[in-house]
Amino acid sequence: MTNLTIDAAGATDTGLVRATNEDHHLIGAGLFAVADGMGGAANGQVASRLATETLQRAFSAEPTASGLVAAVRQANEAIRDRAGNEPDQPPFGTTIGAVARVGGPDDERFVTVNVGDTRIYLLRDGQLTQLSSDHSRVADLVRAGEITASEAAEHPERHVLTSALGVVDAVAPAVNHVRPEPGDRLILCSDGLFNELTEEAIAATAARHDDLDRAARDLIDQAKASGGADNITVVLVEVT
Ligand code: MG
């Protein structure tokens, strides 16, 4: 990847139903993330911001694949510490999906991590591949062969998570790696995007615009046109 250039753009929107935006995203030096907070009052916003801030600080101290996983664990602990300081508040937490550029000249790659259902897709040659693994009830059912992916998209329990930062003692982040190729686009998004749009629509829209800002904005506009029931956040990363 030595001769490859990375560009990124992001956008977030409250959507059409929620009163506040509890998503948070990060576009850093070789580090990109989307977090979707949950909890009463402003706690979801606190959790998602604390997650991305802790991730950035911890990863910059150890900018490796294992450093990224360790940074996710630190983010979990930071949120748990904060929640522990406010015992009268209901529990709060956040999902996280992050991509980092790691490795040396001979083995540069993207490493992805996620906890919860923030998704990371690779768009390559018009094909969309999910690199992240949802920690959700319906994803477990799909993996067990009990329902199909399209049934999961309409399932009444599709919002039920099986893990998130801040709500469990120890997280087990899902990890993946991909060797970048020129023309690749990575799409990080909160569930407010993929619960409104099919993967075909996400792929087509992400590929439609040369300009990453316009692509991110178009994805959000389409999610709102489809209902905008949740906060919507998109980060696009392009390899050229
Ligand atoms: Mg959401």
Side-chain angles (χ1 to χ4, degrees):
M1 193 157 75
T2 306
N3 297 318
L4 300 178
T5 301
I6 306 298
D7 293 307
T12 188
D13 197 286
T14 304
L16 302 175
V17 175
R18 301 290 178 90
T20 57
N21 191 345
E22 298 188 314
D23 288 359
H24 209 78
H25 65 287
L26 165 71
I27 296 177
L31 177 65
F32 313 92
V34 169
D36 179 347
M38 64 205 79
N43 285 340
Q45 290 167 300
V46 170
S48 60
R49 193 183 65 245
L50 195 53
T52 55
E53 289 175 353
T54 305
L55 190 81
Q56 185 168 35
R57 188 174 340 104
F59 179 74
S60 66
E62 190 189 347
T64 64
S66 58
L68 184 63
V69 174
V72 171
R73 296 188 196 284
Q74 286 188 43
N76 185 53
E77 287 160 17
I79 296 164
R80 290 186 72 75
D81 287 347
R82 177 74 65 90
N85 291 336
E86 297 168 15
D88 296 338
Q89 299 287 326
F92 61 92
T94 185
T95 71
I96 189 119
V99 176
R101 181 186 191 177
V102 300
D106 297 327
D107 66 342
E108 282 189 285
R109 62 201 186 278
F110 285 124
V111 56
T112 74
V113 293
N114 75 278
V115 176
D117 67 351
T118 292
R119 285 190 182 168
I120 304 162
Y121 292 106
L122 170 66
L123 179 64
R124 176 178 287 173
D125 300 328
Q127 288 289 116
L128 196 72
T129 305
Q130 186 177 334
L131 300 177
S132 56
S133 298
D134 295 351
H135 296 126
S136 68
R137 182 84 50 81
V138 292
D140 284 347
L141 293 173
V142 171
R143 283 189 281 264
E146 293 182 26
I147 62 172
T148 66
S150 55
E151 285 168 342
E154 303 296 329
H155 198 280
E157 293 192 345
R158 65 186 178 279
H159 300 291
V160 179
L161 300 181
T162 54
S163 188
L165 299 184
V167 299
V168 292
D169 282 332
V171 290
V175 183
N176 207 341
H177 297 259
V178 64
R179 286 267 191 177
E181 293 182 5
D184 283 352
R185 282 186 173 184
L186 294 169
I187 305 162
L188 292 79
C189 58
S190 60
D191 63 342
L193 187 80
F194 63 76
N195 280 330
E196 301 289 3
L197 300 179
T198 64
E199 293 190 345
E200 291 74 16
I202 292 172
T205 305
R208 184 173 300 138
H209 305 277
D210 289 337
D211 184 85
L212 291 182
D213 284 303
R214 287 190 62 186
R217 194 66 239 171
D218 195 1
L219 284 165
I220 284 179
D221 287 346
Q222 289 194 34
K224 290 171 75 175
S226 299
D230 194 4
N231 306 147
I232 310 149
T233 303
V234 180
V235 171
L236 297 175
V237 181
E238 182 178 58
V239 182
T240 53

mmCIF file of all heavy atoms in Angstrom, residues 192-233:
data_model
loop_
_atom_site.group_PDB
_atom_site.id
_atom_site.type_symbol
_atom_site.label_atom_id
_atom_site.label_comp_id
_atom_site.label_asym_id
_atom_site.label_seq_id
_atom_site.Cartn_x
_atom_site.Cartn_y
_atom_site.Cartn_z
ATOM 1 N N GLY A 192 -28.703 2.972 11.439
ATOM 2 C CA GLY A 192 -29.662 3.888 10.808
ATOM 3 C C GLY A 192 -29.535 3.929 9.301
ATOM 4 O O GLY A 192 -30.469 4.326 8.593
ATOM 5 N N LEU A 193 -28.387 3.486 8.771
ATOM 6 C CA LEU A 193 -28.233 3.378 7.316
ATOM 7 C C LEU A 193 -28.727 2.025 6.817
ATOM 8 O O LEU A 193 -29.627 1.949 5.977
ATOM 9 C CB LEU A 193 -26.774 3.586 6.895
ATOM 10 C CG LEU A 193 -26.622 3.635 5.369
ATOM 11 C CD1 LEU A 193 -27.004 5.003 4.831
ATOM 12 C CD2 LEU A 193 -25.220 3.256 4.914
ATOM 13 N N PHE A 194 -28.173 0.939 7.365
ATOM 14 C CA PHE A 194 -28.474 -0.359 6.734
ATOM 15 C C PHE A 194 -29.844 -0.904 7.104
ATOM 16 O O PHE A 194 -30.317 -1.826 6.449
ATOM 17 C CB PHE A 194 -27.355 -1.382 6.994
ATOM 18 C CG PHE A 194 -27.121 -1.775 8.421
ATOM 19 C CD1 PHE A 194 -27.973 -2.652 9.070
ATOM 20 C CD2 PHE A 194 -26.023 -1.283 9.111
ATOM 21 C CE1 PHE A 194 -27.739 -3.032 10.388
ATOM 22 C CE2 PHE A 194 -25.783 -1.658 10.428
ATOM 23 C CZ PHE A 194 -26.646 -2.530 11.058
ATOM 24 N N ASN A 195 -30.484 -0.326 8.150
ATOM 25 C CA ASN A 195 -31.875 -0.732 8.397
ATOM 26 C C ASN A 195 -32.855 -0.041 7.454
ATOM 27 O O ASN A 195 -34.007 -0.462 7.344
ATOM 28 C CB ASN A 195 -32.266 -0.463 9.848
ATOM 29 C CG ASN A 195 -31.746 -1.543 10.791
ATOM 30 O OD1 ASN A 195 -31.607 -2.698 10.398
ATOM 31 N ND2 ASN A 195 -31.450 -1.159 12.025
ATOM 32 N N GLU A 196 -32.407 1.019 6.778
ATOM 33 C CA GLU A 196 -33.286 1.733 5.847
ATOM 34 C C GLU A 196 -33.028 1.351 4.396
ATOM 35 O O GLU A 196 -33.925 1.452 3.554
ATOM 36 C CB GLU A 196 -33.108 3.253 5.994
ATOM 37 C CG GLU A 196 -33.397 3.809 7.378
ATOM 38 C CD GLU A 196 -34.874 3.788 7.759
ATOM 39 O OE1 GLU A 196 -35.708 3.283 6.984
ATOM 40 O OE2 GLU A 196 -35.188 4.277 8.862
ATOM 41 N N LEU A 197 -31.784 0.962 4.074
ATOM 42 C CA LEU A 197 -31.410 0.735 2.677
ATOM 43 C C LEU A 197 -30.928 -0.700 2.477
ATOM 44 O O LEU A 197 -30.268 -1.261 3.352
ATOM 45 C CB LEU A 197 -30.287 1.691 2.259
ATOM 46 C CG LEU A 197 -30.579 3.187 2.354
ATOM 47 C CD1 LEU A 197 -29.357 3.985 1.916
ATOM 48 C CD2 LEU A 197 -31.790 3.561 1.511
ATOM 49 N N THR A 198 -31.251 -1.265 1.320
ATOM 50 C CA THR A 198 -30.701 -2.576 0.987
ATOM 51 C C THR A 198 -29.204 -2.440 0.697
ATOM 52 O O THR A 198 -28.702 -1.353 0.397
ATOM 53 C CB THR A 198 -31.373 -3.153 -0.269
ATOM 54 O OG1 THR A 198 -31.060 -2.303 -1.380
ATOM 55 C CG2 THR A 198 -32.891 -3.251 -0.101
ATOM 56 N N GLU A 199 -28.510 -3.565 0.778
ATOM 57 C CA GLU A 199 -27.085 -3.536 0.461
ATOM 58 C C GLU A 199 -26.861 -3.164 -1.008
ATOM 59 O O GLU A 199 -25.860 -2.519 -1.341
ATOM 60 C CB GLU A 199 -26.438 -4.880 0.806
ATOM 61 C CG GLU A 199 -26.448 -5.125 2.317
ATOM 62 C CD GLU A 199 -25.613 -6.304 2.761
ATOM 63 O OE1 GLU A 199 -25.243 -7.133 1.906
ATOM 64 O OE2 GLU A 199 -25.333 -6.390 3.969
ATOM 65 N N GLU A 200 -27.801 -3.535 -1.862
ATOM 66 C CA GLU A 200 -27.693 -3.140 -3.273
ATOM 67 C C GLU A 200 -27.738 -1.614 -3.403
ATOM 68 O O GLU A 200 -26.964 -1.015 -4.166
ATOM 69 C CB GLU A 200 -28.815 -3.766 -4.095
ATOM 70 C CG GLU A 200 -28.721 -5.283 -4.266
ATOM 71 C CD GLU A 200 -29.093 -6.078 -3.009
ATOM 72 O OE1 GLU A 200 -29.721 -5.498 -2.086
ATOM 73 O OE2 GLU A 200 -28.743 -7.267 -2.946
ATOM 74 N N ALA A 201 -28.639 -0.988 -2.657
ATOM 75 C CA ALA A 201 -28.751 0.477 -2.714
ATOM 76 C C ALA A 201 -27.519 1.145 -2.117
ATOM 77 O O ALA A 201 -27.031 2.163 -2.636
ATOM 78 C CB ALA A 201 -30.012 0.926 -1.977
ATOM 79 N N ILE A 202 -27.001 0.578 -1.025
ATOM 80 C CA ILE A 202 -25.793 1.147 -0.411
ATOM 81 C C ILE A 202 -24.630 1.058 -1.395
ATOM 82 O O ILE A 202 -23.895 2.042 -1.600
ATOM 83 C CB ILE A 202 -25.458 0.397 0.902
ATOM 84 C CG1 ILE A 202 -26.523 0.690 1.971
ATOM 85 C CG2 ILE A 202 -24.065 0.792 1.407
ATOM 86 C CD1 ILE A 202 -26.392 -0.162 3.232
ATOM 87 N N ALA A 203 -24.463 -0.078 -2.038
ATOM 88 C CA ALA A 203 -23.360 -0.251 -2.984
ATOM 89 C C ALA A 203 -23.491 0.706 -4.166
ATOM 90 O O ALA A 203 -22.522 1.360 -4.569
ATOM 91 C CB ALA A 203 -23.320 -1.696 -3.471
ATOM 92 N N ALA A 204 -24.700 0.800 -4.716
ATOM 93 C CA ALA A 204 -24.895 1.644 -5.895
ATOM 94 C C ALA A 204 -24.654 3.109 -5.569
ATOM 95 O O ALA A 204 -24.016 3.839 -6.346
ATOM 96 C CB ALA A 204 -26.312 1.440 -6.449
ATOM 97 N N THR A 205 -25.136 3.535 -4.420
ATOM 98 C CA THR A 205 -24.998 4.953 -4.057
ATOM 99 C C THR A 205 -23.555 5.284 -3.709
ATOM 100 O O THR A 205 -23.031 6.342 -4.090
ATOM 101 C CB THR A 205 -25.923 5.283 -2.875
ATOM 102 O OG1 THR A 205 -27.252 4.898 -3.214
ATOM 103 C CG2 THR A 205 -25.891 6.784 -2.568
ATOM 104 N N ALA A 206 -22.894 4.384 -2.990
ATOM 105 C CA ALA A 206 -21.498 4.640 -2.617
ATOM 106 C C ALA A 206 -20.591 4.693 -3.836
ATOM 107 O O ALA A 206 -19.564 5.368 -3.829
ATOM 108 C CB ALA A 206 -21.012 3.569 -1.643
ATOM 109 N N ALA A 207 -20.982 3.976 -4.910
ATOM 110 C CA ALA A 207 -20.164 3.945 -6.118
ATOM 111 C C ALA A 207 -20.508 5.073 -7.085
ATOM 112 O O ALA A 207 -19.748 5.351 -8.011
ATOM 113 C CB ALA A 207 -20.351 2.600 -6.828
ATOM 114 N N ARG A 208 -21.662 5.710 -6.884
ATOM 115 C CA ARG A 208 -22.198 6.629 -7.893
ATOM 116 C C ARG A 208 -21.397 7.918 -7.998
ATOM 117 O O ARG A 208 -21.292 8.502 -9.076
ATOM 118 C CB ARG A 208 -23.661 6.954 -7.554
ATOM 119 C CG ARG A 208 -24.370 7.836 -8.577
ATOM 120 C CD ARG A 208 -25.843 7.954 -8.231
ATOM 121 N NE ARG A 208 -26.483 6.630 -8.225
ATOM 122 C CZ ARG A 208 -27.363 6.219 -7.309
ATOM 123 N NH1 ARG A 208 -27.705 7.014 -6.316
ATOM 124 N NH2 ARG A 208 -27.883 5.012 -7.373
ATOM 125 N N HIS A 209 -20.840 8.381 -6.872
ATOM 126 C CA HIS A 209 -20.210 9.708 -6.837
ATOM 127 C C HIS A 209 -18.701 9.581 -6.732
ATOM 128 O O HIS A 209 -18.196 8.828 -5.891
ATOM 129 C CB HIS A 209 -20.717 10.501 -5.631
ATOM 130 C CG HIS A 209 -22.203 10.632 -5.560
ATOM 131 N ND1 HIS A 209 -22.888 11.605 -6.268
ATOM 132 C CD2 HIS A 209 -23.142 9.910 -4.907
ATOM 133 C CE1 HIS A 209 -24.175 11.482 -6.022
ATOM 134 N NE2 HIS A 209 -24.371 10.463 -5.206
ATOM 135 N N ASP A 210 -17.980 10.336 -7.553
ATOM 136 C CA ASP A 210 -16.532 10.413 -7.384
ATOM 137 C C ASP A 210 -16.182 11.096 -6.077
ATOM 138 O O ASP A 210 -15.223 10.738 -5.405
ATOM 139 C CB ASP A 210 -15.893 11.183 -8.547
ATOM 140 C CG ASP A 210 -15.935 10.379 -9.840
ATOM 141 O OD1 ASP A 210 -16.035 9.137 -9.756
ATOM 142 O OD2 ASP A 210 -15.888 11.000 -10.911
ATOM 143 N N ASP A 211 -16.976 12.113 -5.719
ATOM 144 C CA ASP A 211 -16.715 12.911 -4.528
ATOM 145 C C ASP A 211 -17.245 12.178 -3.289
ATOM 146 O O ASP A 211 -18.433 11.850 -3.199
ATOM 147 C CB ASP A 211 -17.388 14.279 -4.664
ATOM 148 C CG ASP A 211 -17.070 15.184 -3.494
ATOM 149 O OD1 ASP A 211 -16.029 15.846 -3.531
ATOM 150 O OD2 ASP A 211 -17.879 15.199 -2.533
ATOM 151 N N LEU A 212 -16.360 11.923 -2.317
ATOM 152 C CA LEU A 212 -16.759 11.135 -1.141
ATOM 153 C C LEU A 212 -17.786 11.859 -0.286
ATOM 154 O O LEU A 212 -18.688 11.231 0.285
ATOM 155 C CB LEU A 212 -15.526 10.796 -0.295
ATOM 156 C CG LEU A 212 -14.515 9.822 -0.881
ATOM 157 C CD1 LEU A 212 -13.392 9.580 0.128
ATOM 158 C CD2 LEU A 212 -15.164 8.502 -1.274
ATOM 159 N N ASP A 213 -17.649 13.181 -0.150
ATOM 160 C CA ASP A 213 -18.622 13.937 0.638
ATOM 161 C C ASP A 213 -20.021 13.815 0.038
ATOM 162 O O ASP A 213 -21.009 13.632 0.757
ATOM 163 C CB ASP A 213 -18.225 15.420 0.717
ATOM 164 C CG ASP A 213 -17.084 15.647 1.695
ATOM 165 O OD1 ASP A 213 -17.243 15.270 2.866
ATOM 166 O OD2 ASP A 213 -16.054 16.197 1.279
ATOM 167 N N ARG A 214 -20.087 13.911 -1.280
ATOM 168 C CA ARG A 214 -21.394 13.792 -1.941
ATOM 169 C C ARG A 214 -21.958 12.392 -1.791
ATOM 170 O O ARG A 214 -23.168 12.213 -1.593
ATOM 171 C CB ARG A 214 -21.276 14.155 -3.423
ATOM 172 C CG ARG A 214 -21.089 15.649 -3.659
ATOM 173 C CD ARG A 214 -21.208 16.004 -5.121
ATOM 174 N NE ARG A 214 -22.523 15.703 -5.664
ATOM 175 C CZ ARG A 214 -22.851 15.815 -6.957
ATOM 176 N NH1 ARG A 214 -21.935 16.207 -7.820
ATOM 177 N NH2 ARG A 214 -24.053 15.540 -7.366
ATOM 178 N N ALA A 215 -21.100 11.393 -1.849
ATOM 179 C CA ALA A 215 -21.569 10.014 -1.676
ATOM 180 C C ALA A 215 -22.126 9.800 -0.271
ATOM 181 O O ALA A 215 -23.194 9.191 -0.097
ATOM 182 C CB ALA A 215 -20.426 9.038 -1.953
ATOM 183 N N ALA A 216 -21.395 10.311 0.737
ATOM 184 C CA ALA A 216 -21.864 10.153 2.126
ATOM 185 C C ALA A 216 -23.200 10.865 2.319
ATOM 186 O O ALA A 216 -24.126 10.336 2.947
ATOM 187 C CB ALA A 216 -20.810 10.699 3.092
ATOM 188 N N ARG A 217 -23.300 12.066 1.761
ATOM 189 C CA ARG A 217 -24.531 12.848 1.910
ATOM 190 C C ARG A 217 -25.702 12.166 1.203
ATOM 191 O O ARG A 217 -26.827 12.138 1.712
ATOM 192 C CB ARG A 217 -24.297 14.259 1.329
ATOM 193 C CG ARG A 217 -25.324 15.294 1.684
ATOM 194 C CD ARG A 217 -25.311 15.600 3.163
ATOM 195 N NE ARG A 217 -26.631 15.320 3.729
ATOM 196 C CZ ARG A 217 -26.904 15.328 5.032
ATOM 197 N NH1 ARG A 217 -25.958 15.607 5.904
ATOM 198 N NH2 ARG A 217 -28.102 15.052 5.467
ATOM 199 N N ASP A 218 -25.425 11.610 0.023
ATOM 200 C CA ASP A 218 -26.483 10.934 -0.736
ATOM 201 C C ASP A 218 -26.985 9.703 0.024
ATOM 202 O O ASP A 218 -28.200 9.426 0.074
ATOM 203 C CB ASP A 218 -25.959 10.547 -2.120
ATOM 204 C CG ASP A 218 -27.071 10.183 -3.104
ATOM 205 O OD1 ASP A 218 -28.260 10.248 -2.731
ATOM 206 O OD2 ASP A 218 -26.747 9.827 -4.254
ATOM 207 N N LEU A 219 -26.074 8.953 0.640
ATOM 208 C CA LEU A 219 -26.485 7.788 1.428
ATOM 209 C C LEU A 219 -27.416 8.218 2.566
ATOM 210 O O LEU A 219 -28.447 7.577 2.820
ATOM 211 C CB LEU A 219 -25.250 7.074 1.992
ATOM 212 C CG LEU A 219 -24.460 6.226 0.992
ATOM 213 C CD1 LEU A 219 -23.082 5.884 1.549
ATOM 214 C CD2 LEU A 219 -25.222 4.936 0.650
ATOM 215 N N ILE A 220 -27.046 9.290 3.238
ATOM 216 C CA ILE A 220 -27.884 9.768 4.347
ATOM 217 C C ILE A 220 -29.234 10.263 3.835
ATOM 218 O O ILE A 220 -30.291 9.964 4.416
ATOM 219 C CB ILE A 220 -27.125 10.846 5.143
ATOM 220 C CG1 ILE A 220 -26.076 10.147 6.009
ATOM 221 C CG2 ILE A 220 -28.086 11.681 5.985
ATOM 222 C CD1 ILE A 220 -25.222 11.059 6.832
ATOM 223 N N ASP A 221 -29.226 10.993 2.734
ATOM 224 C CA ASP A 221 -30.494 11.502 2.177
ATOM 225 C C ASP A 221 -31.420 10.346 1.798
ATOM 226 O O ASP A 221 -32.638 10.416 2.018
ATOM 227 C CB ASP A 221 -30.217 12.378 0.955
ATOM 228 C CG ASP A 221 -29.618 13.727 1.340
ATOM 229 O OD1 ASP A 221 -29.670 14.088 2.538
ATOM 230 O OD2 ASP A 221 -29.086 14.414 0.441
ATOM 231 N N GLN A 222 -30.842 9.276 1.242
ATOM 232 C CA GLN A 222 -31.682 8.131 0.856
ATOM 233 C C GLN A 222 -32.223 7.397 2.077
ATOM 234 O O GLN A 222 -33.370 6.923 2.069
ATOM 235 C CB GLN A 222 -30.879 7.178 -0.032
ATOM 236 C CG GLN A 222 -30.615 7.750 -1.410
ATOM 237 C CD GLN A 222 -30.139 6.685 -2.375
ATOM 238 O OE1 GLN A 222 -30.546 5.533 -2.292
ATOM 239 N NE2 GLN A 222 -29.270 7.078 -3.283
ATOM 240 N N ALA A 223 -31.404 7.296 3.136
ATOM 241 C CA ALA A 223 -31.898 6.656 4.367
ATOM 242 C C ALA A 223 -33.045 7.471 4.965
ATOM 243 O O ALA A 223 -34.017 6.912 5.482
ATOM 244 C CB ALA A 223 -30.760 6.502 5.369
ATOM 245 N N LYS A 224 -32.941 8.793 4.881
ATOM 246 C CA LYS A 224 -34.032 9.637 5.389
ATOM 247 C C LYS A 224 -35.271 9.498 4.506
ATOM 248 O O LYS A 224 -36.403 9.446 5.010
ATOM 249 C CB LYS A 224 -33.572 11.096 5.470
ATOM 250 C CG LYS A 224 -32.538 11.321 6.561
ATOM 251 C CD LYS A 224 -31.915 12.701 6.505
ATOM 252 C CE LYS A 224 -32.840 13.773 7.022
ATOM 253 N NZ LYS A 224 -32.135 15.091 7.067
ATOM 254 N N ALA A 225 -35.068 9.416 3.202
ATOM 255 C CA ALA A 225 -36.210 9.251 2.296
ATOM 256 C C ALA A 225 -36.901 7.911 2.525
ATOM 257 O O ALA A 225 -38.097 7.757 2.229
ATOM 258 C CB ALA A 225 -35.734 9.357 0.845
ATOM 259 N N SER A 226 -36.162 6.930 3.084
ATOM 260 C CA SER A 226 -36.742 5.614 3.375
ATOM 261 C C SER A 226 -37.359 5.542 4.768
ATOM 262 O O SER A 226 -37.799 4.476 5.188
ATOM 263 C CB SER A 226 -35.668 4.534 3.247
ATOM 264 O OG SER A 226 -35.163 4.495 1.931
ATOM 265 N N GLY A 227 -37.334 6.651 5.497
ATOM 266 C CA GLY A 227 -37.952 6.667 6.822
ATOM 267 C C GLY A 227 -37.139 7.395 7.869
ATOM 268 O O GLY A 227 -37.687 8.046 8.741
ATOM 269 N N GLY A 228 -35.822 7.267 7.805
ATOM 270 C CA GLY A 228 -34.952 7.981 8.751
ATOM 271 C C GLY A 228 -35.322 7.733 10.201
ATOM 272 O O GLY A 228 -35.307 8.651 11.020
ATOM 273 N N ALA A 229 -35.626 6.463 10.541
ATOM 274 C CA ALA A 229 -36.145 6.149 11.879
ATOM 275 C C ALA A 229 -35.092 6.270 12.974
ATOM 276 O O ALA A 229 -35.435 6.318 14.152
ATOM 277 C CB ALA A 229 -36.745 4.745 11.882
ATOM 278 N N ASP A 230 -33.835 6.315 12.596
ATOM 279 C CA ASP A 230 -32.750 6.323 13.595
ATOM 280 C C ASP A 230 -31.703 7.332 13.140
ATOM 281 O O ASP A 230 -31.734 7.833 12.016
ATOM 282 C CB ASP A 230 -32.147 4.911 13.686
ATOM 283 C CG ASP A 230 -31.255 4.702 14.904
ATOM 284 O OD1 ASP A 230 -31.141 5.621 15.750
ATOM 285 O OD2 ASP A 230 -30.663 3.611 14.997
ATOM 286 N N ASN A 231 -30.764 7.621 14.023
ATOM 287 C CA ASN A 231 -29.603 8.421 13.640
ATOM 288 C C ASN A 231 -28.846 7.680 12.537
ATOM 289 O O ASN A 231 -28.760 6.449 12.559
ATOM 290 C CB ASN A 231 -28.648 8.621 14.815
ATOM 291 C CG ASN A 231 -29.303 9.201 16.065
ATOM 292 O OD1 ASN A 231 -28.899 8.883 17.175
ATOM 293 N ND2 ASN A 231 -30.309 10.044 15.902
ATOM 294 N N ILE A 232 -28.285 8.450 11.603
ATOM 295 C CA ILE A 232 -27.608 7.857 10.439
ATOM 296 C C ILE A 232 -26.197 8.435 10.365
ATOM 297 O O ILE A 232 -26.033 9.665 10.307
ATOM 298 C CB ILE A 232 -28.350 8.199 9.128
ATOM 299 C CG1 ILE A 232 -29.832 7.892 9.236
ATOM 300 C CG2 ILE A 232 -27.722 7.456 7.945
ATOM 301 C CD1 ILE A 232 -30.697 8.830 8.398
ATOM 302 N N THR A 233 -25.203 7.552 10.334
ATOM 303 C CA THR A 233 -23.815 8.009 10.211
ATOM 304 C C THR A 233 -23.080 7.148 9.194
ATOM 305 O O THR A 233 -23.230 5.926 9.196
ATOM 306 C CB THR A 233 -23.095 7.943 11.568
ATOM 307 O OG1 THR A 233 -23.824 8.734 12.503
ATOM 308 C CG2 THR A 233 -21.670 8.472 11.452
#
